[in-house]
Amino acid sequence: MKGSTLGGYILRRLWQTVPVILGVVVVNFLLLQLAPGDLATVLAGEAGGASPEFIEAMRERFGQDQPVYIQLLYYMGNLLTLDLGYSFRQSAPVLDLLLERLGPTLLLMGATLVLSLSLGILMGLLSALWVRTWKDHVISIAAIIFYATPLFWVGLMLVLVFSIKLDWFPTSGMEDVVAFYEGWDRVVDIAHHLVLPTITLSLFYLALYARLMRASMLEQRGLDYVTTARAKGLTNSQITRRHVFRNALLPVVTMAGIQTGALLGGSVVVEAVFAWPGLGQLAYQSLFARDYNLLLGIFFLSACLVVLVNLLVDIIYVMLDPRIRIG
Amino acid sequence: MKPNRFHLAVYAGLMAAALSTPAIAQNRGGTLVQITQPEPPNLASYISTAGPIAQVTSKIFDGLLEYDFSLAPKPSVAESWTVSEDGKTITFKLRQDVKFHDGQPLTSADVQFTVMEVLKKVHPRGIATYKDVVSVDTPDAHTVVFNLANPAPYLMMALSSAESPILPKHIYGEGDIKTHPNANQPIGSGPFKFTDWRKGELVRLDRNDDYWQEGKPYLDRIVVRFIADSSTRTAALEKGEAHVAGQGAVPYNDVKKLAALDSITVTTRGYEMISPMVELMMNTQKPPFDNQKVRQAINYAIDRQFVIDNVWFGFGKAAKGPISSNFESNGLFAAGKDYSVPDRIDIANKLLDEAGFPKGPDGFRFEITHDITPYGEEWQRFGEAVQQDLAKIGVKATLRYEDLPTWLKRVYTDYDFDLTSNFLFNLADPVIGVHRGIHSDRIKPGTVFVNGSRWSSPETDALMNEAAVATDVFKRRDLYKQLVEKVSEASPIAYVLELNYPTVISSEFEDVVVSPLGIYGNFASAYKK
C-alpha cells in the first residue's frame, strides 16, 4: 500500500472500530432487556424488603418507567460523550467504578500474558526441538493436563498446598490488609499476592500456546525455505533462530490476541477464588444484581480492550514478518 | 419472671451504672479483619437495609440505643428514656459528649433530622417502623421527644445503629439524600471512622480517638474484606488472614472443621435480634394449596430434624410457628400446632385423602414445582430433602433454581409458583418481622419479602393490629398466642426451622460478639489478647 504510514494506519483502524463498539453496546443493551427482574426489585430484595412506593420511586429514578427505545437512545447519547451513567446500586458513577477495577485487572492479565506466552513459547520450542524424545512427551503430557484441568480447582489446590500447608503465599487478596505496606514494600507485597492467581490463570493458556508453538515449529521446519537455508550452509540453530522461530510465532500471536477476550472471562473465576478486585468479579456481581448501567460499561470497556489488543497484534505481525504490509 | 415496662426501666438504670464503672484493662491496638459476604453495594445504611451494609456501618454510626441478650434496650447515645402513660410520647435524654467524626457535636437536631427527614422517608423498613411518629420535638440540644399517633412499643426495638443510624444533619442535610456524596464515605459518631473503600477488596475503618465511651474502642483498626469464593473464605480464616466471619459467610460443614482448630472459636449467639427462619411458602390462591388440608399435609410431611442435621449441619432448631423462640426472653414467643408428631406421615396421607387427592396408579396424588431460594447450595439440598419427604405422601415435586431477581419477580410480583422455600428474618420485634409475612395489608405485588402466600384473615389482621399498639407485654403475649395458633392451623407457610447462624472468631480476639446484634454490633469492646 503506498502512502500508508503506521500512524495513519492506527488512526484508520481505530476509526473503523467505533461502529463495531457501538453495535456491541446496542446488542448488549437489547439482550439485557430479556432477563427477568430489574434493579429496583433486586435492591429491595437485598434490603430485605421495601414498600411499593419505595420501589416505584426507585424505578422512576433509574429511568425504568420509560420505554426501552427511549432508554437506549438516552444511553447512546450519553455514551458519545463518554458518560457511562450512574450505578444506583453502588451509589457511584460507572466510569469511576470501572477505572478503580481496571488496574488490578490489567495487572493480572498482563502478568498472565507474559507468563503464559513466554513459558508456553519456550515449552513449545523445546518440545519441537526434542521432538519424539521422552522430553517432548513429558512436556506434551504436562500441557494436556494443564489444558484439561478446571481453573477453580487449580486455584483451590494451589491455595491448599502453597498457602495453608507450606505457608509460602497468602490465600487471597491483593495486599496485606493488616500491614498496609507503602512504597517498595507495597510493590513486593502485591507481587507476592500476584503469584498464585497468575499461575492459576496462566496454566490453561500456557498449555495452549505450547501446543500451538510445537505444531507451528514442526510445520515450518518442513517448508522449502528451510531446505534452502540448509543448502546455503546455515547451521540448525541459525535456521531455528533466524527463520523458523519468527515464522512459527505468528499463529501464537494471533491466538494470544483472540484469547485476550477470553482471558477476561476466565478471570471471573480466578478473581473469585483469590478475591482479586478486578473487572471480572464486578461483571459477575452486576449481572446478578441487574445493574445494567454498570454491566454495559464493563462490556464497553472490554470491547475497547479487545480492539486495542487486536490492533497491537497486527502491529507485532508487521514487526515479525515485514512481508505483511499495513493497509 | 417475664419483663414488663417497669422491669425494663429498672434494668436500663442498672446497665447505665454498669457502663460508668471503669473497664478491666484490655490490650490496646491490633487490626481485626472481618469477612463480609457479599460485598455491600454501598455504605448508605439509611437507604438500604441490606445485611452486608449494616455489618460495616454499625461500626461507623451510633444508634440511640443498644440491646442486651434478653432483647432489653440499653443506653447508648441516649443515656435515658421515658415512655408516657398512654405510650404516645417517648422522651430521650442524649449524652452531652458525643461528637461526629468531623468534630461537630451530636445534638437533638441530628436525631430529629435522621428520623423525620431520612428514616421515615427513605429507609425501606423505617417507612413502616416510624409510620406512627408524627413529629420529633427538640426542647433543648440534648432532649428528643417522639410524638406518636398510636403507641408503638416495637419502636424501642428499632433504635440500634444497624437499624437506625444517627446521621449528622450538617452533612447529610445538604443535597439529595438518595444520591448523597457521603453514601460511600459515611460520617458518624461510632467507635470507628471510615478511611477507605477499595471496591471489590476491602473497607478500612480506623479507630475514633474521640469516641464517647472512655478508653474504647480497643482496636486500632477494622478491615472488612470481601472474598467471593467460600472455600477461600474458609482458607483465609484457617490461616489467620481473617479473624471474624458470620451470617452464613462460612459454609456450615467448614464451620465444624474450623471449630476443631485451637486458633478458632465458634458461637451461635448474636442473632437474637435477627432470628432467621427457614420456611416453605405455599401459594394459597391456587390449587392445590388453596386447600387447608393439603397445606397441613405438607407441613406434616417435612422431617425437620433431618433437615437440621443434614442440610444445616446441626445449626438450627425446629420452628414451632411464625414467631422465633428467641422472643421467649421478652415474653412474645408462642408455640403453634406441633407438626413434628411421630405418626405425621400417616396423618398427612389421611389429610390428602380427605382433601380429595387420592393416589394415582403411579403412586402420586399430584405434581407441583418447588422454587428454591437462590441463596446458595444448602437451599438446593433443602429442596432435595423436601422433595423426598413429599414423595412419601404421594406428592411429586420438581425443583426449579433461578437467579435472585428472577425468583423475586416470580414469587412476589407474578405469584407464579406453587411451593417455594423462603428465608425471612423475625427481626427485633414481631411487628417488624412477622406481620409482613401474614398480614393482608402486606399483600403487595412487586414488593419483596412480604405476604407472598397471599393468605390472610380478618381475624388475624385484627390480632396483629391490636398487638402493634398494645403497650402491655402480657396483653401482647396473649394476642400473639392467639395469632400463632390461628396461623399454624391455617398453615399458609410451613415454618421449618430457626437457623442458628454460626460466627467464626479467631481466638486471638475477645469480646467480639457481645450483643444480640452479633456481627452487626459496633465492636467497641473487642480487643486483641
Side-chain angles (χ1 to χ4, degrees):
Chain A
M1 283 281 164
K2 56 181 176 180
S4 310
T5 60
L6 193 61
Y9 169 70
I10 292 174
L11 273 181
R12 201 164 57 246
R13 276 286 302 270
L14 286 177
W15 179 242
Q16 283 165 353
T17 55
V18 170
V20 175
I21 290 177
L22 288 183
V24 167
V25 170
V26 173
V27 170
N28 283 329
F29 187 94
L30 295 176
L31 280 177
L32 286 182
Q33 300 297 325
L34 298 176
D38 65 1
L39 179 62
T41 328
V42 175
L43 287 183
E46 282 184 336
S51 68
E53 299 79 28
F54 188 79
I55 292 180
E56 233 7 86
M58 278 201 285
R59 289 216 170 98
E60 204 177 308
R61 195 148 57 90
F62 304 159
Q64 282 173 345
D65 52 343
Q66 304 286 327
V68 173
Y69 71 92
I70 299 271
Q71 290 184 43
L72 176 61
L73 282 178
Y74 190 71
Y75 187 82
M76 298 302 285
N78 284 341
L79 195 62
L80 291 177
T81 58
L82 270 187
D83 173 3
L84 296 181
Y86 189 81
S87 165
F88 291 98
R89 181 171 177 269
Q90 305 219 359
S91 295
V94 169
L95 191 63
D96 291 0
L97 290 169
L98 293 184
L99 292 180
E100 216 174 338
R101 297 294 189 97
L102 191 60
T105 292
L106 290 181
L107 187 61
L108 182 60
M109 274 177 67
T112 302
L113 266 177
V114 170
L115 183 72
S116 58
L117 269 176
S118 55
L119 261 186
I121 289 170
L122 184 69
M123 272 170 69
L125 182 71
L126 292 177
S127 195
L129 292 180
W130 295 327
V131 69
R132 278 187 285 279
T133 63
W134 66 270
K135 291 180 206 157
D136 173 32
H137 294 318
V138 168
I139 292 176
S140 296
I141 290 170
I144 287 172
I145 292 173
F146 292 161
Y147 187 80
T149 320
L151 285 182
F152 74 92
W153 191 83
V154 173
L156 290 177
M157 285 308 118
L158 289 179
V159 168
L160 199 66
V161 175
F162 293 102
S163 313
I164 294 186
K165 297 279 180 242
L166 294 173
D167 202 16
W168 289 357
F169 297 102
T171 60
S172 56
M174 199 165 87
E175 58 187 300
D176 187 334
V177 297
V178 175
F180 279 113
Y181 292 112
E182 301 206 350
W184 277 108
D185 290 340
R186 185 167 176 222
V187 174
V188 172
D189 185 38
I190 291 178
H192 191 208
H193 280 77
L194 190 60
V195 174
L196 291 187
T198 304
I199 293 177
T200 307
L201 193 52
S202 295
L203 281 185
F204 174 83
Y205 298 101
L206 185 156
L208 197 74
Y209 301 145
R211 290 178 59 74
L212 201 61
M213 187 67 190
R214 178 178 180 275
S216 176
M217 284 285 291
L218 292 179
E219 190 199 342
Q220 294 290 334
R221 277 218 311 220
L223 293 182
D224 289 346
Y225 74 86
V226 176
T227 318
T228 314
R230 193 164 286 132
K232 280 198 301 187
L234 292 182
T235 64
N236 258 344
S237 74
Q238 279 173 324
I239 296 171
T240 305
R241 233 173 330 127
R242 290 196 201 154
H243 299 285
V244 179
F245 181 67
R246 286 174 81 119
N247 284 314
L249 267 185
L250 288 176
V252 178
V253 171
T254 312
M255 193 46 114
I258 295 169
Q259 293 284 336
T260 315
L263 200 57
L264 269 177
S267 68
V268 175
V269 176
V270 174
E271 284 176 13
V273 169
F274 289 98
W276 194 263
L279 282 172
Q281 271 203 77
L282 191 65
Y284 188 77
Q285 289 163 0
S286 49
L287 174 64
F288 283 98
R290 303 287 191 266
D291 193 346
Y292 293 151
N293 277 352
L294 185 50
L295 202 54
L296 284 169
I298 296 169
F299 288 156
F300 175 72
L301 190 68
S302 41
C304 293
L305 262 180
V306 169
V307 164
L308 278 181
V309 168
N310 280 303
L311 183 59
L312 206 65
V313 165
D314 288 348
I315 294 169
I316 293 174
Y317 253 52
V318 181
M319 280 153 50
L320 280 177
D321 186 348
R323 286 173 303 171
I324 302 170
R325 293 280 157 76
I326 48 178
Chain B
M1 186 167 68
K2 295 290 173 192
N4 55 25
R5 239 179 340 115
F6 168 72
H7 189 99
L8 291 187
V10 171
Y11 204 84
L14 284 175
M15 290 313 296
L19 267 181
S20 59
T21 54
I24 329 142
Q26 324 284 23
N27 294 331
R28 284 280 293 269
T31 298
L32 178 84
V33 180
Q34 169 184 325
I35 296 180
T36 287
Q37 169 59 26
E39 178 171 13
N42 53 59
L43 294 180
S45 52
Y46 47 88
I47 47 171
S48 175
T49 42
I53 297 179
Q55 283 188 27
V56 179
T57 57
S58 56
K59 283 86 184 155
I60 301 166
F61 293 104
D62 276 320
L64 279 179
L65 300 176
E66 287 183 18
Y67 301 87
D68 68 13
F69 279 113
S70 66
L71 301 185
K74 288 185 352 184
S76 177
V77 165
E79 54 185 355
S80 67
W81 58 92
T82 45
V83 183
S84 69
E85 203 51 48
D86 63 357
K88 290 189 179 178
T89 315
I90 311 174
T91 308
F92 295 96
K93 284 280 177 196
L94 305 184
R95 298 182 60 93
Q96 311 267 342
D97 52 353
V98 183
K99 277 187 190 149
F100 288 111
H101 297 157
D102 61 352
Q104 296 290 313
L106 186 153
T107 66
S108 54
D110 297 305
V111 180
Q112 182 191 44
F113 162 76
T114 303
V115 172
M116 295 307 288
E117 299 302 320
V118 183
L119 299 179
K120 199 172 153 62
K121 287 186 180 161
V122 297
H123 189 276
R125 282 200 287 263
I127 291 172
T129 313
Y130 294 96
K131 164 174 102 285
D132 284 327
V133 179
V134 183
S135 62
V136 173
D137 294 339
T138 53
D140 64 57
H142 296 97
T143 306
V144 182
V145 184
F146 284 22
N147 298 306
L148 310 179
N150 296 298
Y154 54 89
L155 193 61
M156 290 300 285
M157 297 307 296
L159 300 175
S160 70
S161 65
E163 185 73 17
S164 301
I166 300 174
L167 310 178
K169 183 184 181 184
H170 62 277
I171 289 169
Y172 290 91
E174 303 285 321
D176 182 4
I177 190 72
K178 288 176 179 164
T179 52
H180 199 275
N182 283 93
N184 290 339
Q185 278 115 34
I187 296 176
S189 59
F192 295 92
K193 293 196 241 191
F194 173 82
T195 310
D196 190 15
W197 183 1
R198 298 196 199 146
K199 289 271 169 78
E201 197 180 0
L202 57 93
V203 169
R204 177 175 161 178
L205 309 174
D206 285 341
R207 185 193 149 75
N208 172 13
D209 289 318
D210 288 332
Y211 192 51
W212 54 270
Q213 280 193 46
E214 202 51 39
K216 289 182 182 176
Y218 302 118
L219 297 169
D220 280 342
R221 192 187 288 152
I222 296 176
V223 176
V224 186
R225 283 190 61 190
F226 315 114
I227 303 175
D229 188 87
S230 61
S231 313
T232 312
R233 291 198 288 276
T234 306
L237 287 160
E238 187 174 345
K239 215 185 152 213
E241 286 176 15
H243 309 119
V244 60
Q247 186 114 28
V250 183
Y252 299 88
N253 52 343
D254 284 356
V255 172
K256 295 245 139 161
K257 194 180 88 185
L258 290 174
L261 301 174
D262 290 338
S263 58
I264 280 173
T265 53
V266 172
T267 175
T268 54
R269 297 194 85 182
Y271 297 99
E272 292 82 353
M273 268 184 104
I274 302 158
S275 296
M277 299 277 268
V278 173
E279 314 173 342
L280 283 172
M281 185 163 79
M282 293 167 255
N283 190 345
T284 63
Q285 301 288 310
K286 240 175 84 176
F289 295 122
D290 54 348
N291 188 323
Q292 178 170 313
K293 286 186 172 165
V294 177
R295 300 196 300 259
Q296 288 179 336
I298 301 287
N299 216 328
Y300 275 117
I302 311 303
D303 187 344
R304 288 171 169 73
Q305 200 54 47
F306 177 86
V307 171
I308 292 168
D309 294 341
N310 296 288
V311 178
W312 273 281
F313 292 87
F315 292 103
K317 185 177 167 186
K320 294 194 164 152
I323 297 182
S324 164
S325 62
N326 284 333
F327 287 102
E328 257 170 9
S329 58
N330 64 7
L332 298 182
F333 170 72
K337 184 171 176 167
D338 190 1
Y339 284 101
S340 292
V341 290
D343 55 343
R344 51 192 183 78
I345 297 292
D346 297 336
I347 301 177
N349 274 314
K350 196 162 143 264
L351 280 167
L352 288 175
D353 288 337
E354 285 169 20
F357 292 101
K359 274 192 183 168
D362 58 351
F364 286 113
R365 302 169 189 273
F366 55 82
E367 283 187 32
I368 55 158
T369 303
H370 176 185
D371 287 287
I372 299 166
T373 314
Y375 281 162
E377 240 179 276
E378 59 270 10
W379 292 91
Q380 256 164 316
R381 290 202 297 273
F382 175 53
E384 287 152 14
V386 170
Q387 190 178 36
Q388 285 173 23
D389 285 337
L390 294 186
K392 285 181 200 152
I393 59 166
V395 175
K396 187 174 190 175
T398 312
L399 301 179
R400 179 164 51 198
Y401 193 89
E402 296 170 319
D403 77 344
L404 181 68
T406 314
W407 176 77
L408 285 174
K409 183 166 186 287
R410 176 184 293 284
V411 173
Y412 289 105
T413 304
D414 302 338
Y415 301 114
D416 178 22
F417 71 100
D418 304 319
L419 174 73
T420 181
S421 52
N422 201 5
F423 196 30
L424 216 55
F425 292 175
N426 262 196
L427 300 171
D429 191 281
V431 176
I432 308 170
V434 176
H435 291 199
R436 58 178 170 164
I438 40 181
H439 199 293
S440 345
D441 68 10
R442 310 292 160 88
I443 302 178
K444 290 178 170 173
T447 309
V448 297
F449 298 114
V450 287
N451 188 347
S453 75
R454 288 181 293 164
W455 173 89
S456 66
S457 74
E459 250 184 317
T460 51
D461 285 352
L463 287 171
M464 284 185 273
N465 293 343
E466 217 180 318
V469 297
T471 48
D472 181 80
V473 139
F474 297 101
K475 183 160 184 224
R476 284 190 84 193
R477 186 167 55 167
D478 181 53
L479 291 165
Y480 280 129
K481 195 163 175 279
Q482 295 178 49
L483 175 77
V484 169
E485 270 167 25
K486 289 190 169 31
V487 174
S488 271
E489 184 67 30
S491 187
I493 293 160
Y495 300 95
V496 180
L497 61 102
E498 298 169 2
L499 185 57
N500 294 333
Y501 273 131
T503 303
V504 177
I505 309 167
S506 158
S507 309
E508 282 177 47
F509 292 85
E510 281 286 329
D511 289 349
V512 178
V513 169
V514 292
S515 83
L517 284 157
I519 202 167
Y520 295 95
N522 65 14
F523 288 3
S525 57
Y527 66 95
K528 190 172 184 186
K529 282 200 268 196

